[in-house]
Amino acid sequence: KTAYEIPKRDWSSDVCSSDLVERDGRCLLAKRAGSTVNRYSCVAGYVEPGESIEEAVAREVQEEVGVPVTDVRYHSSQPWPFPATLMIGCTARATADDIHVDEHEIGEAHWFTREDARRALDRANPELTVPEPVAIAHHLIRDWVERA
């Protein structure tokens, strides 16, 4: 078959951001509403049509945990097949400490120190579990810990 005979397929995918927010040597991690385990991750959300990645990061962090951010920076990207999504990892700096979670999406959110995160990466922190290396959030957290 020629290219003209092969049916077209819609290869579009959603674009999400996974965002490591930091302030004063601490990072902000959250867990899903209804979660019963201590698995915390980076704040994440979808990039809306017509929105830049930087705008999406600021909006999602504000909506989900009520923390304003600045200095959004691209870190890395990852294909994520659940479903057909491109995950874009970013870092950002918080401009305030107060957390106000959107209880529909987020169960809890807390500031964690580098030592808290380091111990979680080493599976030695019973109060904090972080995503496995398959997730971009794991790499955002690891890179933040190692930058100390």
Side-chain angles (χ1 to χ4, degrees), residues 63-78:
E63 287 177 2
E64 293 189 3
V65 294
V67 175
V69 298
T70 187
D71 196 26
V72 176
R73 307 253 178 193
Y74 171 83
H75 177 275
S76 55
S77 65
Q78 166 190 26

Side-chain angles (χ1 to χ4, degrees), residues 125-139:
N125 187 343
E127 297 173 12
L128 174 62
T129 303
V130 296
E132 298 295 323
V134 68
I136 197 168
H138 176 94
H139 300 282

Side-chain angles (χ1 to χ4, degrees), residues 17-23 26-30 40-44 57 61 69-73 75 88-94 111-112 114 117 130 136-147:
S17 65
S18 181
D19 318 310
L20 182 90
V21 177
E22 60 182 312
R23 180 175 168 92
R26 299 166 300 147
C27 71
L28 178 61
L29 301 176
Y40 287 80
S41 188
C42 300
V43 174
V57 169
V61 173
V69 298
T70 187
D71 196 26
V72 176
R73 307 253 178 193
H75 177 275
I88 298 173
C90 296
T91 61
R93 295 206 183 279
W111 292 103
F112 294 96
R114 277 190 167 84
V130 296
I136 197 168
H138 176 94
H139 300 282
L140 289 165
I141 295 166
R142 179 170 297 285
D143 286 354
W144 177 76
V145 165
E146 292 175 352
R147 278 193 314 219

Side-chain angles (χ1 to χ4, degrees), residues 24-114:
D24 299 330
R26 299 166 300 147
C27 71
L28 178 61
L29 301 176
K31 70 178 184 177
R32 288 182 179 170
S35 176
T36 58
V37 297
N38 283 333
R39 179 176 298 273
Y40 287 80
S41 188
C42 300
V43 174
Y46 288 96
V47 177
E48 298 293 336
E51 188 175 49
S52 72
I53 295 167
E54 295 83 359
E55 290 167 335
V57 169
R59 179 186 50 75
E60 284 290 344
V61 173
Q62 182 70 47
E63 287 177 2
E64 293 189 3
V65 294
V67 175
V69 298
T70 187
D71 196 26
V72 176
R73 307 253 178 193
Y74 171 83
H75 177 275
S76 55
S77 65
Q78 166 190 26
W80 192 250
F82 308 110
T85 302
L86 174 64
M87 295 293 291
I88 298 173
C90 296
T91 61
R93 295 206 183 279
T95 59
D97 289 323
D98 292 338
I99 299 169
H100 304 280
V101 299
D102 169 2
E103 295 175 356
H104 296 289
E105 292 188 46
I106 303 296
E108 294 179 35
H110 300 284
W111 292 103
F112 294 96
T113 65
R114 277 190 167 84

